[in-house]
Each structure stands twice: as structure tokens, then as C-alpha cells.
Amino acid sequence: MKSVRWVLVTVVAGLLVLVGCSNPGANVAASVNGVSIPVSRVEGPVKAIGETGGQLAEPHAIVLSYAIRGEIARAIATEQGIQLTGDARTTVLNANPNLAAFGDDPQVSGFVDDVVDSTLVINRVGETAFLARVAQASVQVNPRYGSWSVESAAIAQSGGQLSKPWATPSAPA
């Protein structure tokens, strides 16, 4: 009788492990140098911008591309002491009133931060230096959204499908 219980416990434990591992990262849109970007950080802005009449071509890819760039930009800013607040931020927002209009929407504010932060860092270090850091970053994208293109620092949507599961991301080549 004891052996039957142990077999049952082992089977249940095994199933729990498999269920926990069956869809790793299902709520993660991408990972940048170990920092997870949740799906909600992509879906929220897409939904909010779409509901307010804003039009974006390939909105999921655009929002996720900026989320990835934003994470890389914030890492550069921290390392180099680049200020992402104050007058420089206001200048970037004033240059794009459509972007500034979304800044107060809690669903879109993260997207606005990603756009502004990456713009400020690119303006400070230059596009070439920024793209060099993009090439060094470890970026894994949930295949639902496509794949990461280092050359364009953006999501390439070829093959991206919302029904495609995400396996555990691997280290960059």
C-alpha cells in the first residue's frame, strides 16, 4: 500500500512540474539582458491607443520594439549618467504632441517612457553607439510577436503568430 502512495505522489509531483514548465514565459513578451517585459506592457498601450483612435502600423511590433530599446537605453543611461528627466524630457515630448497626449494615460505611459528614454539616449550617444549596444544585448522575443532584428533594432514580424507558444529562451549566439 505504501508503494502505491509513493507512486501516486511521484506521478502527481511530476505532473505539477510539467504543468509549471509547459508554457514558460507565457506572460512575457520579451527579455532584455535578463529583464522581462510582460505581455501587459505591450497589450495595454496597443489597446489604449487603438481605443483612442490612434493608428499604428503593426502596433504590437512597434510597442515591443520600443520596450526593448527603452530597456537598453535605460541601461546605457545608468552607466553613463544620462539624465532621463527634466528639460530634455520635456523637449522631446513637446516635439511630439501626439506622444505627449498619451503620457497621462496609465496604460500608455510606459510606451511613452520607452520612446522618450530611447530618444534621449540616442541623441546623447549617437545612433551608431546605440546600435552597437543593441547588438551586444541579450534579447529574446516571444515568437508570438516575431523575432528581434539587431540590424533594425526592431521586431521583425515574419513568422510571428499569436497562437505560437514560447519555449524557454536561449542565450544569444
Side-chain angles (χ1 to χ4, degrees), residues 27 29 37-45 107 145:
N27 294 323
I37 298 171
V39 167
S40 61
R41 190 164 153 196
V42 176
E43 298 297 330
Q107 285 188 302
Y145 298 100

Side-chain angles (χ1 to χ4, degrees), residues 2-20:
K2 282 186 176 184
S3 64
V4 172
R5 276 191 256 159
W6 279 109
V7 169
L8 183 60
V9 168
T10 304
V11 168
V12 170
L15 288 174
L16 288 174
V17 168
L18 289 175
V19 168

